[in-house]
Amino acid sequence: MLNTNTNTLKKSIFHTSIESHPLSLRIKEELRFRQIETILQLVRIKKEKLSLLRGFGPKTVREINVYLKELGLKFEMTDRQISIYCEKNQRTNFDSD
């Protein structure tokens, strides 16, 4: 369970839809097809597991990885890493509400 409060997580980038991020349409469709709809779901995935899925070759995985790095994120984030990220970025609201 995450150590950060629910409101902080909801207002964080982890709560945002993949659709709201500047990834290619093909990547968004592949992620949606696999029911990966938020950044939180994406950062929980093992990079190696993603690369084994049809439609996620090395180029696609690299594109996602580069984008996550731009955000200060990575694949396989733990609850602790997510909590630390939220604490460091709690004043930034990525929610479009």
Side-chain angles (χ1 to χ4, degrees):
M1 194 75 177
L2 291 175
N3 293 332
T4 189
N5 75 38
T6 305
N7 287 335
T8 300
L9 182 61
K10 283 185 178 179
K11 290 180 180 178
S12 76
I13 194 167
F14 297 104
H15 183 67
T16 61
S17 168
I18 295 292
E19 294 295 322
S20 67
H21 293 272
L23 295 166
S24 72
L25 181 59
R26 190 183 67 73
I27 289 175
K28 290 177 184 181
E29 288 175 354
E30 291 290 341
L31 291 170
R32 188 178 22 198
F33 178 73
R34 287 169 177 77
Q35 298 177 339
I36 301 167
E37 298 173 358
T38 65
I39 293 295
L40 180 62
Q41 291 171 315
L42 185 59
V43 299
R44 296 246 184 219
I45 296 172
K46 288 187 177 190
K47 186 170 149 180
E48 294 78 19
K49 180 181 176 187
L50 189 64
S51 66
L52 293 175
L53 297 174
R54 184 180 178 122
F56 288 94
K59 184 177 176 183
T60 302
V61 173
R62 192 175 321 111
E63 182 181 333
I64 295 169
N65 193 42
V66 166
Y67 182 66
L68 289 177
K69 283 184 180 182
E70 288 174 6
L71 297 174
L73 304 172
K74 63 181 185 173
F75 287 107
E76 298 182 62
M77 289 184 76
T78 65
D79 286 348
R80 178 150 171 73
Q81 291 169 323
I82 291 168
S83 180
I84 290 168
Y85 183 92
C86 286
E87 288 170 14
K88 286 181 179 179
N89 297 284
Q90 70 185 17
R91 293 176 190 231
T92 304
N93 185 348
F94 291 93
D95 227 358
S96 58
D97 292 341

